[in-house]
Amino acid sequence: MRELVTEHRLNIVLALILLGGPLVAHFADEPFLVTLATRATILALAGVGLNIALGLGGLVSFGHAAFFGLGGYAVGILASHHQTYEPLMTSPFVINGTNQMLVLWLVAVLVSGLAALVIGALSLRTSGVYFIMITLAFAQMIYYFAISWPAYGGEDGLSIYVRSGFPGINTLKPLSFFLLCYAVLMLVLIGQWRMTGARFGIALQAVRQNEGRVAALGLSPYRIKLAAFVISGMVTGLAGALYADLNRFVSPSMMSWHLSGEIMVFIILGGVARLFGPVVGACLFVLFEHVFGSFTTHWQFFLGAALLAVVLFARGGFIGLVAGRTQHD
């Protein structure tokens, strides 16, 4: 219990640091650092999505970049049709493009959730390494489909000329957009925290530990894991939508297996099943890229060394190292 309280306090401190850093950068007239923090926040949100499946459910998915990319393309496609004033669909009914974030987020979440439902329904019939490879295979199928889709840029990607709008907020200002992304991240983290203590979260963790006992209680492990996988995909898709607006550009690289691996690295660095584990991991990833990438193109070497140190000496990641190990480790 004491370790749990310590972790809660650490989470609050980390949330304040993530909020305070960009505020200081803004008043110091360093918009680039604000944008860097925004990128870390969005990548953390993608990590939170995977952490729901991996940390709570024990589902090692190597295809979550597919949901990230689908969320991004949902924004890119609708925004491009809004820019050209061409409807996305004219029959049997008209669907126009839009640049309103609330609508774009809804579409991104629905598209990613539907994809996660289809992929999860098939992939969850397997387990272990077979599950990993099937999720990877689905992600690569979507990736190559995006490359061969010339209507929306193909391999060159698709540009978004104007950042989407949000009611009452000037999203073109770096600090305003960061605060919006930060608010989304905090709301999702609160949702995950509530879900973990709810009956569904407890059942999901029980499935991770012993599926047979859960089935003996009359519950369906398959349905529980599928629900978790869909929720996970929807959160990751929302992160992809924000990432598309941050860069004002989407491309098939958002769906590559490299990104799936990076999202998993976030979780391992910060701590698997830890609430703020993906947040810490994403911030460390962006920090390593910015600091070491400024003087060498091989900055991943230092990231790999840090990852190796965590795997060998800090199984609970950064959170576990600071707050102590718990039953999740």
Side-chain angles (χ1 to χ4, degrees):
M1 180 62 70
R2 183 179 178 183
E3 290 175 343
L4 198 58
V5 172
T6 302
E7 184 172 338
H8 287 330
R9 291 178 178 174
L10 178 61
N11 291 343
I12 294 173
V13 171
L14 292 171
L16 292 175
I17 291 175
L18 182 59
L19 176 62
L23 290 176
V24 172
H26 171 72
F27 289 113
D29 196 23
E30 294 287 349
F32 172 74
L33 295 180
V34 178
T35 301
L36 209 63
T38 306
R39 181 169 181 263
T41 300
I42 296 172
L43 292 177
L45 182 61
V48 171
L50 178 57
N51 200 31
I52 293 173
L54 174 62
L56 299 182
L59 303 173
V60 185
S61 168
F62 215 71
H64 260 56
F67 311 131
F68 189 80
L70 286 172
Y73 267 90
V75 170
I77 291 172
L78 287 173
S80 68
H81 282 275
H82 176 78
Q83 291 163 184
T84 59
Y85 301 100
E86 295 180 359
L88 179 64
M89 181 186 297
T90 57
S91 178
F93 46 83
V94 177
I95 298 180
N96 293 311
T98 180
N99 69 338
Q100 294 303 306
M101 282 190 181
L102 292 176
V103 178
L104 294 171
W105 292 354
L106 178 61
V107 174
V109 166
L110 291 176
V111 169
S112 302
L114 180 60
L117 178 62
V118 174
I119 294 174
L122 297 173
S123 302
L124 287 170
R125 298 183 183 277
T126 64
S127 60
V129 67
Y130 300 104
F131 175 78
I132 297 172
M133 296 309 297
I134 288 178
T135 55
L136 173 61
F138 273 113
Q140 288 299 99
M141 288 168 60
I142 297 174
Y143 168 75
Y144 285 112
F145 176 79
I147 285 180
S148 60
W149 201 5
Y152 297 108
E155 192 172 4
D156 295 328
L158 183 64
S159 295
I160 305 171
Y161 298 111
V162 180
R163 181 170 292 161
S164 304
F166 191 91
I169 297 177
N170 184 355
T171 57
L172 293 176
K173 293 183 178 180
L175 183 63
S176 298
F177 187 61
F178 163 76
L179 291 174
L180 181 62
C181 296
Y182 179 85
V184 172
L185 175 62
M186 290 300 115
L187 287 174
V188 172
L189 284 171
I190 292 172
Q192 183 190 344
W193 174 65
R194 294 292 299 272
M195 183 183 71
T196 302
R199 286 183 294 179
F200 173 75
I202 295 172
L204 178 60
Q205 295 174 76
V207 168
R208 183 192 69 213
Q209 296 170 7
N210 194 318
E211 287 191 27
R213 290 186 179 181
V214 173
L217 293 173
L219 300 176
S220 172
Y222 175 81
R223 291 182 179 180
I224 293 172
K225 291 191 292 184
L226 180 58
F229 193 79
V230 171
I231 294 172
S232 175
M234 292 168 73
V235 173
T236 307
L238 177 59
L242 290 171
Y243 199 73
D245 258 323
L246 172 66
N247 296 322
R248 284 180 261 187
F249 178 76
V250 292
S251 71
S253 63
M254 291 178 65
M255 303 178 181
S256 70
W257 64 270
H258 300 89
L259 184 59
S260 292
E262 289 174 0
I263 297 174
M264 196 169 294
V265 167
F266 303 158
I267 300 174
I268 297 173
L269 283 176
V272 178
R274 306 284 187 162
L275 184 63
F276 267 69
V279 179
V280 174
C283 290
L284 288 175
F285 179 88
V286 172
L287 185 64
F288 271 65
E289 183 181 26
H290 177 63
V291 174
F292 295 110
S294 62
F295 61 85
T296 177
T297 57
H298 305 292
W299 62 270
Q300 292 94 338
F301 170 83
F302 302 98
L303 179 67
L307 182 63
L308 183 62
V310 166
V311 171
L312 293 177
F313 307 110
R315 187 180 174 189
F318 175 85
I319 302 291
L321 188 65
V322 177
R325 295 178 62 177
T326 68
Q327 59 184 353
H328 294 301
D329 295 338

